[in-house]
């Protein structure tokens, strides 16, 4: 029996639609600028998608409400299709996620050529809905996000520059992709600010919707 200095943290996990089982999260990989229109709104006319990451414990699951983060005055929403990797290394399920971003910290990091960790990988920065196992219901499904009932983001999954299968293949060139890895596949145009008490609803056609409220800190 291992004599721990202190008890290990619980493994982050996602619920699985229609099942009592849970999906244990090993790590979170994210794709940036995977929708051309979003790349343009961020000032990149012909951007190539790229990877960054969030820690596994950034996941906010089970309809919990994330706390509005410290150290930012410009928190942004980014609705995303999330892929879940299974034991055979393939994509076994899908969920709706939201990449919360401290945009002011990201802008400062970009200006100085520094990493984005504080802008992207902070506590509770990855709200995620329940996982739907199996094939993606519709590769051309809509993806959308509303804030307090107002539509902010709306697009289609087939607007992605890299498809989910291409994302997985590219990720394998960089990492030993394993079961428990989540991949956030990028966001369509329309990203914008969130305020404390804002109610967010995110949808991808055929998947369990994601709903949360930003709790004041």
């Amino acid at each position: 029996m291992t004599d721990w200095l202190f008890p290990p943290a619980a493994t982050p996990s996602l619920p699985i639609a229609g099942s009592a089982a849970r999906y244990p999260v090993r790590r979170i990989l994210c794709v940036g600028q995977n929708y051309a229109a979003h790349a343009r709104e961020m000032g990149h006319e012909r951007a190539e998608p790229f990877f960054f990451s969030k820690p596994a414990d950034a996941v906010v699951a089970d309809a919990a409400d994330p706390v509005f983060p410290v150290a930012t005055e410009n928190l942004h929403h980014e609705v995303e299709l999330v892929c879940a990797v299974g034991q055979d290394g393939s994509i076994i399920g899908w969920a709706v996620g939201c990449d919360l971003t401290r945009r002011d910290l990201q802008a400062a990091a970009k200006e100085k050529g520094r990493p984005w960790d504080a802008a992207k990988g902070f506590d509770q920065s990855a709200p995620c809905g329940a996982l739907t196992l199996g094939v993606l219901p519709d590769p051309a499904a809509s993806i959308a996000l509303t804030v307090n009932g107002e539509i902010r983001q709306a697009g289609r999954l087939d607007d992605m520059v890299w498809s989910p299968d291409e994302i997985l293949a590219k990720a394998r060139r960089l990492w030993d992709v394993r079961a428990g890895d989540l991949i956030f596949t990028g966001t369509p145009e329309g990203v914008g600010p969130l305020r404390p008490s804002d109610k967010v609803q995110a949808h991808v056609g055929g998947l369990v919707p994601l709903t949360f409220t930003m709790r004041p800190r």
Side-chain angles (χ1 to χ4, degrees):
M1 180 177 179
T2 302
D3 187 14
W4 298 106
L5 182 61
F6 50 83
T11 299
S13 64
L14 292 179
I16 298 173
S19 172
R22 297 187 69 87
Y23 177 88
V25 178
R26 176 174 176 255
R27 64 178 164 193
I28 303 172
L29 302 175
C30 305
V31 181
Q33 297 178 6
N34 197 29
Y35 288 75
H38 172 57
R40 287 193 294 270
E41 76 177 349
M42 299 305 293
H44 302 277
E45 185 60 33
R46 296 182 63 83
E48 175 77 359
F50 57 91
F51 288 97
F52 60 93
S53 64
K54 293 175 181 275
D57 64 3
V59 163
V60 182
D62 302 300
D65 296 325
V67 176
F68 195 91
V70 299
T72 185
E73 299 302 325
N74 193 19
L75 180 71
H76 274 206
H77 56 76
E78 299 189 8
V79 61
E80 311 213 3
L81 172 69
V82 179
C83 308
V85 178
Q87 288 183 295
D88 64 353
S90 67
I91 298 171
I92 61 165
W94 313 86
V96 183
C98 187
D99 168 17
L100 295 178
T101 302
R102 294 195 278 207
R103 193 70 75 198
D104 42 2
L105 299 192
Q106 185 187 40
K110 286 181 177 180
E111 184 177 354
K112 297 178 180 179
R114 294 177 177 175
W116 293 4
D117 298 62
K120 289 287 192 177
F122 55 92
D123 297 338
Q124 301 187 344
S125 61
C128 198
L131 196 65
T132 298
L133 299 181
V135 299
L136 186 63
D138 181 2
S142 62
I143 178 170
L145 180 143
T146 66
V147 178
N148 301 324
E150 174 191 354
I151 296 176
R152 294 278 191 87
Q153 293 184 262
R156 289 164 48 106
L157 296 182
D158 56 7
D159 291 335
M160 284 193 277
V161 178
W162 292 346
S163 70
D165 286 340
E166 289 172 325
I167 291 170
L168 181 59
K170 290 176 183 294
R172 284 188 178 132
R173 298 175 190 171
L174 299 170
W175 294 279
D176 179 15
V177 178
R178 296 184 182 183
D181 290 350
L182 292 179
I183 305 177
F184 280 57
T185 61
T187 193
E189 65 181 314
V191 301
L194 290 172
R195 300 284 182 258
S197 301
D198 277 350
K199 183 174 182 179
V200 177
Q201 293 182 308
H203 303 267
V204 173
L207 302 181
V208 179
L210 168 65
T211 301
F212 63 90
T213 299
M214 294 303 309
R215 286 193 289 147
R217 56 178 179 241

